[in-house]
Amino acid sequence: MSAAAAPRPVTPTRWPSCSGRPPWTSSTIWLGSCWASCARAHWNRWCWTPSPPPSRSRRRASAAPIIPRRAGADAATAADFLQAALAAGHDVLMAKHPEAPYAAGGRGSHWLKVKQAHTLDLLVLAAEWGSGRRSGWLSNLHLGCRDGAGGVLMLGKTFKGLTDQLLAWQTEQLLAREIGRDGHVVHVRPELVVEIAFNELQQSRQYPAGLALRFARVKRYRTDKAAAEADHIDTVRALFDRQVAYREGAAP
């Protein structure tokens, strides 16, 4: 009987870009054609490439989902699921086509990010002349809310959500309210009320109110509202306080 063959030695794999230390924190990472198991404390000894992973069908059959999900849900169920995700401290849901593959990078229309949006009725304080295909139109809006002294406080800018028709209309309306210019910026009387959707408020050192809109976009102009009916800074701060309290309450 011949002696058993000695096991084949394993050659440690070093990554030249990370000076021998793992550039990630997860324990098992798919690297194209093999699995690499990385123990950070023993990087030079514990990095190898064993046999390929099991097939997709075997993984689907054996692995239970670790991320909560709903399949084939109606609008009401989806809304409840979004609220549950927000209550757990998450910011967003991913809506995925059931047959779409899991892939890195751009996923096209098969993956959609669903985030809850807030709205405020704000005043247009100024606008910037557009460039490119928006040349000749006032495009980038400077937005603000009312303050306690009868003035306004700027909260941010946006040029998103504007159609060509709306660009033409707002250019005419803003030029009729012009009070001065500073380079490419046209300052106007704060009379036009615009409904702005945004994802959240964040602290800002740039604006006097100490707050700024994040991912702001125009929903519509509120021609039915006067400037005195625009949202007050107290409303904005209360919304920010609720946002902070919500996140702190959801934090573990």
Side-chain angles (χ1 to χ4, degrees), residues 17 19 28 42 76 80 96 120 150 168 170 210 212 229 244:
S17 62
S19 303
T28 306
H42 303 284
D80 292 341
K96 173 186 174 295
L120 286 170
Q170 79 175 18
E229 298 177 274
V244 172

Side-chain angles (χ1 to χ4, degrees), residues 79-93 116 245-252:
D80 292 341
F81 189 49
L82 173 60
Q83 293 304 317
L86 294 173
H90 303 290
D91 293 324
V92 63
L93 287 183
Q116 189 176 44
Y246 181 83
R247 289 187 172 180
E248 290 179 348

Side-chain angles (χ1 to χ4, degrees), residues 30 53-63 96 98-103:
W30 176 242
S55 65
R56 179 180 297 182
S57 59
R58 287 180 57 192
R59 291 200 303 272
R60 284 179 175 175
S62 60
K96 173 186 174 295
E99 299 301 322
Y102 289 89

Side-chain angles (χ1 to χ4, degrees), residues 84-128:
L86 294 173
H90 303 290
D91 293 324
V92 63
L93 287 183
M94 290 300 298
K96 173 186 174 295
H97 190 282
E99 299 301 322
Y102 289 89
R107 302 178 180 89
S109 60
H110 296 299
W111 293 66
L112 297 176
K113 184 183 292 185
V114 180
K115 297 196 74 169
Q116 189 176 44
H118 307 280
T119 61
L120 286 170
D121 290 334
L122 302 177
L123 295 166
V124 180
L125 312 180
E128 301 174 13

Side-chain angles (χ1 to χ4, degrees), residues 8 52 101 124 179 196:
R8 188 176 63 179
V124 180
I179 58 175
I196 299 295

